[in-house]
Amino acid sequence: MSLQRVFCLGHISVDVFIHRKDLKALKIGGCISSPNLSMQGGGVAANVSYWLGTLGTNVSMIGVIADDPAGFFLKKDLERVNVKCYLKTSTKNPSASILIVVEDGGERSFIINGDCLDELTMNDIPLREIQGGNLLYTSAYNIENSPIDQTISELVEKSKTSNPLSFEVIFNLAAYTTVENYREKIRSKILPYIDILLGNLEEYEILLMKSNKRESPLRLLSELIEDFPNIKIALLTDGEKGCYYKSKEDDGHILAPKISVVDTTGAGDGFAAGFISGYVKGFPLTQSIKNGIELGSYICRGFGARHDSTNFHRFLKKK
């Protein structure tokens, strides 16, 4: 059955990209030119909402900005692709910004100024809008700090205790360090209430305490659903190996296309958006996963999580 609307909750930031090799050429007091320096809207939840809007999905973004030029830019960038914004305005901190240093091969490092991101409370959540057959997307990044961690815990619990106003929850494990540091909170406060779980191989291994045993991806997914039978779909991405999946009815593996990777920033966000766009339209599970792999792979072809978004539909038509 098709869902009515998607709500993405969490991080929204200005992302500034630079390549590591360019920084090596910069001397104290000097100035260099770089074609690799760029600025885009970013943040895990904002990226997913941006791509869903680009794909024509009815989507809203819930997060925090400030009354500053960065906040104005971030809101307008989402509205440009028809994302409805529920953005709290911080009076204590500036809008979040992230410096992303990209390495050869596409890996990246981050420097973050994002205290405003943690200010979200239940009073800032459009709960009545979310309830009643809709889909909420959020990630483990939002359980690291207060008060947003309590907000997420309360919200996902409400998703299953408010029938007939319940809603589905899709949760992204987001980063292996977050899973490692907050594993028990994820297992006790989040997983018992979600419907769909996304993560990569390392995140699942840490979540299930299997990091030294090297079990197969499909076995990891089976163990997860044995522990948490409320989870209807579990998706495990593994870079160029693609995505492993398990649902109540099926399991399997879908390969990713071979591409030349420029930057992996936002690839997971793209996978989430591509998958959700198919899922809410009622597509078969495997087709929704292929949508996610396609968009995630496309994003890796250039700098930034919103790489060349205006040409994505044209890219699909060529395939």
Side-chain angles (χ1 to χ4, degrees):
M1 182 178 68
S2 177
L3 297 170
Q4 298 173 352
R5 189 169 169 192
V6 181
F7 291 80
C8 298
L9 187 157
H11 287 191
I12 176 170
S13 64
V14 174
D15 290 354
V16 179
F17 294 85
I18 187 67
H19 201 286
R20 175 79 70 181
K21 64 184 178 184
D22 295 331
L23 290 177
K24 291 179 180 178
L26 182 63
K27 307 298 181 183
I28 295 176
C31 178
I32 60 173
S33 176
S34 171
N36 298 318
L37 179 65
S38 64
M39 182 186 78
Q40 299 177 20
V44 174
N47 287 334
V48 175
S49 69
Y50 179 90
W51 280 106
L52 285 169
T54 300
L55 294 169
T57 303
N58 188 349
V59 60
S60 298
M61 170 65 200
I62 306 167
V64 184
I65 57 174
D67 185 13
D68 55 19
F72 178 83
F73 161 72
L74 292 168
K75 185 172 185 289
K76 291 299 180 183
D77 202 38
L78 291 180
E79 290 176 341
R80 182 173 57 83
V81 292
N82 300 313
V83 177
K84 184 172 182 179
C85 293
Y86 296 92
L87 299 176
K88 176 179 181 176
T89 301
S90 173
T91 58
K92 298 186 295 184
N93 298 293
S95 296
S97 57
I98 304 178
L99 175 63
I100 301 173
V101 182
V102 182
E103 316 288 343
D104 287 334
E107 288 301 321
R108 63 269 191 262
S109 305
F110 304 91
I111 303 174
I112 302 174
N113 178 2
D115 287 346
C116 78
L117 301 173
D118 304 323
E119 295 179 23
L120 208 66
T121 70
M122 278 302 294
N123 291 333
D124 306 313
I125 305 299
L127 185 58
R128 290 184 180 179
E129 299 254 358
I130 298 173
Q131 288 176 323
N134 292 312
L135 175 68
L136 175 73
Y137 169 88
T138 192
S139 78
Y141 284 131
N142 301 314
I143 66 166
E144 295 181 337
N145 299 300
S146 296
I148 193 173
D149 61 336
Q150 291 98 334
T151 303
I152 295 299
S153 296
E154 184 176 344
L155 188 57
V156 297
E157 185 173 355
K158 282 183 178 295
S159 76
K160 299 299 175 288
T161 57
S162 305
N163 286 327
L165 299 177
S166 62
F167 50 94
E168 289 194 291
V169 178
I170 179 168
F171 189 79
N172 192 336
L173 293 172
Y176 78 90
T177 51
T178 302
V179 178
E180 189 170 48
N181 292 331
Y182 300 92
R183 176 170 52 208
E184 291 312 311
K185 181 186 283 189
I186 293 171
R187 291 181 64 92
S188 63
K189 300 290 188 181
I190 305 296
L191 295 189
Y193 304 105
I194 69 167
D195 301 277
I196 302 172
L197 184 66
L198 306 181
N200 64 30
L201 177 59
E202 192 169 18
E203 291 157 4
Y204 271 99
E205 287 177 336
I206 293 171
L207 180 69
L208 295 167
M209 294 172 282
K210 305 288 185 179
S211 55
N212 296 321
K213 298 183 180 179
R214 304 304 298 177
E215 293 190 16
S216 72
L218 288 176
R219 180 57 194 159
L220 290 173
L221 296 180
S222 294
E223 291 188 28
L224 173 83
I225 291 181
E226 286 172 9
D227 289 346
F228 301 95
N230 55 286
I231 297 177
K232 300 192 302 184
I233 299 171
L235 304 173
L236 185 157
T237 58
D238 193 13
E240 62 185 15
K241 294 180 182 178
C243 179
Y244 299 85
Y245 64 92
K246 182 169 181 60
S247 68
K248 301 292 186 182
E249 299 80 23
D250 194 16
D251 61 44
H253 174 217
I254 299 175
L255 288 169
K258 295 188 180 299
I259 62 168
S260 178
V261 174
V262 174
D263 173 23
T264 59
T265 303
D269 304 337
F271 175 84
F275 170 80
I276 292 170
S277 71
Y279 179 76
V280 299
K281 293 172 185 173
F283 288 3
L285 176 58
T286 53
Q287 183 58 55
S288 298
I289 294 170
K290 289 176 182 177
N291 287 357
I293 290 174
E294 201 68 65
L295 181 50
S297 299
Y298 177 81
I299 289 171
C300 290
R301 299 168 190 261
F303 279 102
R306 303 180 189 180
H307 161 66
D308 203 18
S309 61
T310 55
N311 288 320
F312 181 61
H313 289 293
R314 190 180 309 164
F315 168 78
L316 288 178
K317 290 178 182 179
K318 291 180 179 179
K319 295 183 67 64

